[in-house]
Amino acid sequence: MKDVIVIGGGAAGWSAALAATQAGLSVLLLEKLAESGGSSALSGGCLAFAGTDLQAAQGVDDSAGLLLRDLCEVGQHVNDEALVRAYCEAQLATYDWLKAAGVGFSPVIETASGQSVPRVHTVDPADMVRTLRAAAEASGRVEYRPGVAAQALVQDADGRVVGVRPGSGEDLFGARAVIIASGGFARNPDLLERYAPQYAEAVFVAGAGSQGDGLLMAEALGADLRDMAYVKGTFGKHPTDETNDHSLQAVYKGAIAVNQDGRRFVNESISYKLLGDAVMAQPWHTGYQIMDQGIFDTGDDRVRILDFGRRLEEGLFYVADSLEALAARIEIDPDVLVDTVTRYNGYVDAGHDPEFSRTHLVHHHGALRRIETAPFYAYPSTAVVFGTYCGLRIDNAARVLRSDGSAIAGLYAAGEVTGGFHGAAYMTGSALGKAVVFGRLAGMAAAAQ
């Protein structure tokens, strides 16, 4: 019998395992696939932290309070403020904790969804998971079982979760506490049809293990769910590219989004989850990110969502020396596209966008840019569902809650399997950030029970 069983070997699971071992606990980590990593390893590698040394070195003035405000605004205040506050209070210590474990961060990127100031710290996500795993296993307190799926949670006569029944036919795995870190359900067609039918035509990119197992196991014990109406896709995925799983976020560098009619259809500075909703309502569920050479030159090849150069080399951009020629290439009426860009440039000059009220590049940050310097670029874009960002209701100690607010004794959850944190939309870096922050909090809470 172990002190803690962790279900899932992504960023949340290995963060929970590491925190638990640092508190002196023994851990059994179950990963149903042959390799750990999950959707975390496939992510863009962005984490939202505030008040770090990297920000200070780049002259960025940020705080937990500003992060809290941004997260609540982006979530349209339907997120659980207690969870958001817990994240904001723990995120800086978690950043330092990750560095102490050996995780390396690149410089903070300038613009990203939902930011009032630059705060997205980037990592190689697969390497971060490997680093967390190595640190946990170095304690000698972790038993790692890949290829073993959890089938059901087991309770004692008092309703306390005391173990996991594996699907491998083995006997019950017993423990003092169980932490669910099994990811979302982007690979479960039945759950997607139930909670996100509007994204039936979207592209789906998620870890093969994202079947909703943990959510269903906890729901069977009476766990409450949060934010199930807010499954959303991310704007910016090329609709036919099978090489790059990630979206491209040129709009946050100054591009505009137009539909097949050549007209803007959204305020491009809002969360790319809301942009995903907007593009799914357009003809063919597709739009184009339109930019000029000046905007193209602001790309960042260190960050997957801003690596314009690589996408150009792969032939994914349409390029032309004039807007008229670009319009012809993407089969849009040239007069309409020229008029759209001309009117937008006028809004930039006037400092007022009467069509969609865009005031910044992204959220409250960055001055708008004119689109005027040839050559001009168009990037076809639809929505991609990377994760489900909703799920089990937890409290600020990562305890799984019932609908009446009571905790299911002995049961914790962290990462994508949980709901309540993001609310109606999403800030760049908050999903991977949520995984490591609440993974760590879950491990610490399991030790303190």
Side-chain angles (χ1 to χ4, degrees):
M1 178 172 172
K2 301 291 185 181
D3 292 317
V4 179
I5 295 173
V6 177
I7 302 173
W14 282 113
S15 292
L18 177 58
T21 63
Q22 289 175 336
L25 302 187
S26 60
V27 175
L28 171 63
L29 191 144
L30 304 178
E31 168 55 57
K32 72 176 183 180
L33 301 180
E35 296 289 340
S36 61
S39 292
S40 298
L42 300 176
S43 75
C46 298
L47 300 101
F49 294 124
T52 69
D53 53 354
L54 284 177
Q55 286 179 305
Q58 293 175 232
V60 177
D61 184 14
D62 198 7
S63 67
L66 182 57
L67 176 60
L68 174 68
R69 188 197 76 179
D70 284 348
L71 283 166
C72 290
E73 285 184 358
V74 171
Q76 300 182 358
H77 298 282
V78 299
N79 35 1
D80 183 341
E81 187 173 334
L83 283 187
V84 179
R85 192 173 297 278
Y87 176 93
C88 294
E89 290 174 351
Q91 51 86 30
L92 188 55
T94 302
Y95 167 75
D96 291 333
W97 177 79
L98 290 169
K99 289 203 305 176
V103 176
F105 291 91
S106 297
V108 180
I109 64 175
E110 180 186 352
T111 53
S113 175
Q115 315 293 351
S116 288
V117 298
R119 65 164 66 96
V120 171
H121 299 65
T122 58
V123 298
D124 178 312
D127 186 61
M128 183 181 76
V129 175
R130 286 191 293 267
T131 299
L132 289 168
R133 172 184 167 184
E137 291 187 317
S139 69
R141 296 179 178 272
V142 175
E143 180 184 351
Y144 173 45
R145 296 287 301 275
V148 177
Q151 186 176 61
L153 300 170
V154 178
Q155 294 175 292
D156 65 14
D158 296 323
R160 181 180 187 82
V161 174
V162 293
V164 171
R165 192 170 304 285
S168 58
E170 297 179 71
D171 292 336
L172 165 72
F173 297 137
R176 291 172 44 220
V178 173
I179 300 172
I180 301 174
S182 54
F185 54 87
R187 296 278 191 171
N188 186 318
D190 292 338
L191 289 177
L192 289 171
E193 175 60 28
R194 183 188 309 173
Y195 295 116
Q198 72 275 22
Y199 277 98
E201 301 300 320
V203 178
F204 286 83
V205 175
S210 298
Q211 300 285 340
D213 318 48
L215 184 149
L216 294 171
M217 284 188 284
E219 192 178 19
L221 301 190
D224 195 17
L225 305 181
R226 282 291 309 265
D227 295 346
M228 306 309 288
Y230 300 116
V231 177
K232 297 182 183 298
T234 294
F235 175 71
K237 176 72 172 70
H238 194 291
T240 61
D241 172 39
E242 297 181 356
T243 303
N244 301 288
D245 287 336
H246 297 279
S247 62
L248 194 75
Q249 300 301 328
V251 288
Y252 295 150
K253 288 293 191 175
I256 58 173
V258 304
N259 59 21
Q260 194 62 55
D261 296 325
R263 303 188 186 282
R264 291 174 68 214
F265 56 88
V266 71
N267 174 349
E268 296 89 349
S269 71
I270 63 176
S271 168
Y272 45 34
K273 299 298 179 185
L274 301 180
L275 293 176
D277 280 351
V279 78
M280 291 302 292
Q282 303 310 305
W284 312 110
H285 313 297
T286 301
Y288 296 92
Q289 297 182 69
I290 305 295
M291 73 194 87
D292 69 353
Q293 186 63 47
I295 295 170
F296 184 90
D297 289 341
T298 66
D300 188 342
D301 62 7
R302 300 168 302 176
V303 183
R304 294 174 180 179
I305 61 175
L306 299 175
D307 191 352
F308 304 160
R310 174 181 170 184
R311 308 299 172 84
L312 179 64
E313 291 172 358
E314 293 170 341
L316 300 177
F317 274 99
Y318 291 94
V319 187
D321 289 331
S322 68
L323 287 170
E324 292 87 349
L326 184 67
R329 293 207 64 193
I330 58 179
E331 300 182 349
I332 287 176
D333 185 325
D335 291 339
V336 174
L337 183 62
V338 170
D339 178 65
T340 294
V341 173
T342 299
R343 282 187 291 111
Y344 179 76
N345 286 341
Y347 302 157
V348 174
D349 293 342
H352 175 58
D353 172 9
E355 287 188 84
F356 297 102
S357 302
R358 185 181 191 182
T359 58
H360 293 87
L361 293 181
V362 54
H363 199 50
H364 299 307
H365 177 71
L368 300 182
R369 297 185 173 106
R370 288 172 58 89
I371 299 172
E372 59 185 353
T373 305
F376 299 93
Y377 300 80
Y379 192 82
S381 299
T382 186
V384 54
V385 178
F386 290 121
T388 40
Y389 308 115
C390 59
L392 302 176
R393 180 184 174 194
I394 61 171
D395 65 10
N396 57 10
R399 299 184 302 171
V400 177
L401 305 179
R402 302 180 181 88
S403 58
D404 64 2
S406 64
I408 300 175
L411 186 61
Y412 302 83
E416 191 186 346
V417 73
T418 64
F421 177 71
H422 299 292
Y426 173 77
M427 173 192 288
T428 301
S430 61
L432 202 54
K434 177 181 78 169
V436 295
V437 168
F438 283 98
R440 175 171 169 259
L441 291 177
M444 294 166 62
Q449 70 173 10

